[in-house]
Amino acid sequence: MTRLSNDPADFADEALAGFCDLHAGLVRQVPGGAVRRRRPAEPKVAVLAGGGSGHYPAFAGLIGTGFADGAVVGNIFTSPSAQQAYTVARAAESGAGVVFTYGNYAGDVMNFGLASERLTAEGIRAENVLVTDDIASAPAAESERRRGIAGDFVVFKAMGAAAEAGMDLDEVVRVGRKANERTRTLGTAFSGCTFPGADAPLFTLPEGHMGLGLGIHGEPGLRDVPLPTAAELGRTLVEGVLAEAPEGAPEGAAPDRAGARIAVLLNGLGSTKHEELFVLWATVAPLLREAGYEIVAPEVGELVTSLDMAGVSLTVTWLDDELEELWLAPAETPAFRRGSVAAGTAVESADDGAGPAAAEEVAPSSEDSRGYAAACVEALRAASARLVELEAQLGALDAVAGDGDHGRGMVRGAGAALLAARGALEAGRGAGSVLAAAGDAWADRAGGTSGVLWGAGLRAWGEAIGDLEVPDAAGVSVGVAAFSARIAALGGAQPGDKTLVDALVPFETELQRAVVRGASLADAWADACGAAESAAAATAGLRPLKGRARPLAEKSVGTPDPGATSLAAVFAALGPALIAAANYEEVSA
């Protein structure tokens, strides 16, 4: 259980600050994460690892010579925002481009992708390398859908060593993708992890069982099986991973067979003691050698964790000459050291990553729009308050087949959106700019898939209504349609995938129908909310086809989707203030 915290909502930020203070000789904190204390004097590719907090030593603990140039750090089990990724990249970039590398999760893909687009537009080359090592999360024929778990460590190490050796951006990306293609992981959980401030773990297991096929975001295993002995578990892990040997990789035959060499990680997830790992290694290592492999510089310990989860994972990377050299290359980071790092030429890093400040262009606004902006702020206040009430419930829904962070992420996002909206209103902005500011803040503070979707959606809504006119019922419908279209374009989900789209599309459709037939905004909004609530409840019968719940699809059946549930609740909360503003306009007219 995670016992030490102040305000649980600040846990990740405070942990990062403490880490950076402790290791100030190697790293320094920047907005969105941390970078090396000293940056190269000559241009070098910046390798930037990233993801949510809760996985130490991944990701910040791997910053240093021969490994990562920086880490983009999100909230617990939540992908960083695009703004965080951008600012860390600006702080770490030294003239040779940047490459983001991270596990294959929807929120990470969206946010790092958006950051890459922004960097590219500014003339900084940016690439992405996704890690997909978890063999339990999708069949081999669909390997591109697999999650990234402890195999992150090997891929990051290979890329960091390649960049340190002077390879250009294309070569570093090639090395990372090759390392990923030759890396396989299988893990198991003995108990769930507990969020700071929570009084119960994200999941529990039947007495005497373990969850085989765990994720590193607090997800339960894909199936519960009786708890085996260490020898039995070792055999299960070895047989599972070796059965997934990548095509073209050397096969084990005899211990001295040329090329039959592997890097191996036996990883503890947070509460499994080193002595237990040593007992397990005593079975794993002989089995790998009996299969004809030579083990190269194995690592046994906590490498990629999941808060206080009790569990283990086995990672194997099939090496060739290039990957072996990179795996064995020296490295010096706060959490991992190998060999002796040669003294190089470096300079103190002072850029905070924000880049040059640009004067913000203020769009002209009308008095009427500024009045409507006040109603938008009140609507966001009501939505934020409602999400605070629902936080525990949404987290519990998410924990059934996900990481349990949806409630906390929505509360953080909506709270940040409200503060930004109030600031924009006080600065004299119109309604469109107020909603756009709220969306940007939501995406930045919430992170994750829901954060980037809600943020982009609110910005699109604001752009649709503008800063000059007060939208009538039809105008509100246009704003909702823009919100929906932006989310559909960004997330790619369809109705039936078991996402927030399952509630959003019925809301948009019913609102438009009611407005077209001449209903008042109050009646149209009520009809739309009813459709969204019914659709959200109906997602209990669906199997997820998108998002983190997809690998645990069967566990999710019978539970409503948290994203659809929260969307229906937020739109219900937004309604009264928007309807009151519309009624005021009608009376005034």
Side-chain angles (χ1 to χ4, degrees):
M1 183 172 183
T2 308
R3 297 176 176 83
L4 295 178
S5 65
N6 296 309
D7 182 343
D10 296 330
F11 182 86
D13 293 337
E14 292 180 352
L16 179 62
F19 164 82
C20 291
D21 183 83
L22 176 63
H23 297 289
L26 292 173
V27 305
R28 69 181 184 88
Q29 190 168 359
V30 296
V35 297
R36 293 190 193 184
R37 167 62 62 183
R38 295 177 64 81
R39 61 191 298 164
E42 299 297 327
K44 181 188 97 57
V45 174
V47 176
L48 305 175
S53 299
H55 305 303
Y56 191 84
F59 300 96
L62 305 179
I63 298 171
T65 305
F67 228 121
D69 293 88
V72 190
V73 182
N75 197 24
I76 296 175
F77 299 164
T78 304
S79 77
S81 69
Q83 178 65 24
Q84 288 175 296
Y86 169 79
T87 55
V88 172
R90 285 296 303 266
E93 199 270 334
S94 62
V98 303
V99 54
F100 295 114
T101 180
Y102 47 89
N104 183 28
Y105 299 92
D108 295 287
V109 173
M110 289 183 195
N111 282 298
F112 285 111
L114 289 171
S116 298
E117 291 175 4
R118 182 175 175 185
L119 291 164
T120 300
E122 295 180 2
I124 298 173
R125 282 199 64 195
E127 296 286 350
N128 290 253
V129 172
L130 280 64
V131 183
T132 57
D133 60 305
D134 178 21
I135 65 173
S137 56
E142 301 175 8
S143 60
E144 73 283 353
R145 300 176 66 190
R146 287 177 167 174
R147 303 177 292 198
I149 49 177
D152 285 356
F153 188 91
V154 184
V155 176
F156 299 170
K157 174 65 173 66
M159 295 175 67
E164 207 70 49
M167 291 188 186
D168 66 19
L169 183 60
D170 291 335
E171 283 294 281
V172 172
V173 169
R174 178 191 61 78
V175 162
R177 290 176 179 163
K178 180 169 75 168
N180 177 61
E181 289 166 0
R182 299 166 76 100
T183 299
R184 304 288 186 270
T185 301
L186 178 62
T188 192
F190 309 128
S191 67
C193 59
T194 306
F195 271 16
D199 57 6
L202 291 177
F203 68 89
T204 58
L205 289 162
E207 185 69 26
H209 284 69
M210 69 177 188
L212 189 63
L214 61 83
I216 59 168
H217 295 99
E219 309 99 323
L222 296 176
R223 68 179 189 274
D224 297 341
V225 298
L227 186 65
T229 65
E232 292 167 341
L233 176 57
R235 186 169 295 278
T236 296
L237 295 177
V238 169
E239 291 177 352
V241 171
L242 293 188
E244 284 269 344
E247 184 177 352
E251 298 177 359
D256 60 350
R257 175 171 174 166
R261 296 162 68 81
I262 53 176
V264 183
L265 311 180
L266 187 59
N267 177 55
L269 270 293
S271 290
T272 305
K273 306 305 295 182
H274 278 74
E275 286 87 346
E276 294 177 278
L277 294 174
F278 298 154
V279 170
L280 187 58
W281 181 253
T283 292
V284 166
L287 288 174
L288 291 171
R289 294 183 183 116
E290 289 169 11
Y293 291 101
E294 181 174 349
I295 302 169
V296 179
E299 294 291 335
V300 177
E302 292 187 346
L303 304 165
V304 181
T305 61
S306 184
L307 283 178
D308 62 333
M309 180 185 283
V312 299
S313 63
L314 177 67
T315 299
V316 171
T317 299
W318 280 259
L319 301 172
D320 61 8
D321 291 342
E322 180 182 49
L323 289 179
E324 182 171 347
E325 180 179 354
L326 297 171
W327 174 240
L328 294 175
E332 181 181 14
T333 78
F336 178 81
R337 299 193 180 196
R338 172 169 289 164
S340 177
V341 174
T345 304
V347 295
E348 190 75 10
S349 178
D351 180 14
D352 67 0
E360 187 175 0
E361 185 175 338
V362 178
S365 62
S366 69
E367 183 177 350
D368 286 345
S369 181
R370 292 192 292 274
Y372 188 72
C376 293
V377 171
E378 172 56 25
L380 289 168
R381 185 208 61 77
S384 179
R386 181 61 177 140
L387 286 169
V388 169
E389 295 172 352
L390 293 175
E391 179 179 357
Q393 177 185 335
L394 294 172
L397 291 176
D398 192 30
V400 171
D403 52 21
D405 72 339
H406 184 69
R408 183 161 295 178
M410 290 293 288
V411 167
R412 283 170 61 95
L418 177 58
L419 288 175
R422 283 174 174 163
L425 177 63
E426 292 170 0
R429 306 297 176 81
S433 292
V434 163
L435 286 179
D440 292 346
W442 191 312
D444 186 34
R445 289 296 294 162
T449 307
S450 63
V452 69
L453 293 178
W454 272 94
L458 281 176
R459 169 165 275 283
W461 191 337
E463 291 169 350
I465 67 173
D467 291 319
L468 299 177
E469 304 294 333
V470 174
D472 56 11
V476 171
S477 178
V478 168
V480 171
F483 177 95
S484 179
R486 182 63 176 132
I487 285 177
L490 191 57
Q494 302 291 329
D497 287 345
K498 196 165 187 175
T499 70
L500 61 81
V501 169
D502 287 292
L504 176 57
V505 169
F507 184 95
E508 177 197 0
T509 301
E510 191 55 44
L511 181 69
Q512 186 177 38
R513 285 175 180 168
V515 168
V516 168
R517 67 173 181 262
S520 67
L521 181 60
D523 289 342
W525 199 271
D527 290 348
C529 284
E533 289 168 4
S534 296
T539 60
L542 299 177
R543 296 177 74 258
L545 300 178
K546 294 274 187 179
R548 283 185 186 161
R550 181 194 54 76
L552 296 160
E554 296 305 325
K555 288 181 180 286
S556 174
V557 175
T559 301
D561 178 68
T565 302
S566 62
L567 183 134
V570 167
F571 271 84
L574 292 173
L578 300 182
I579 292 165
N583 290 339
Y584 175 80
E585 287 301 318
E586 290 173 3
V587 171
S588 299

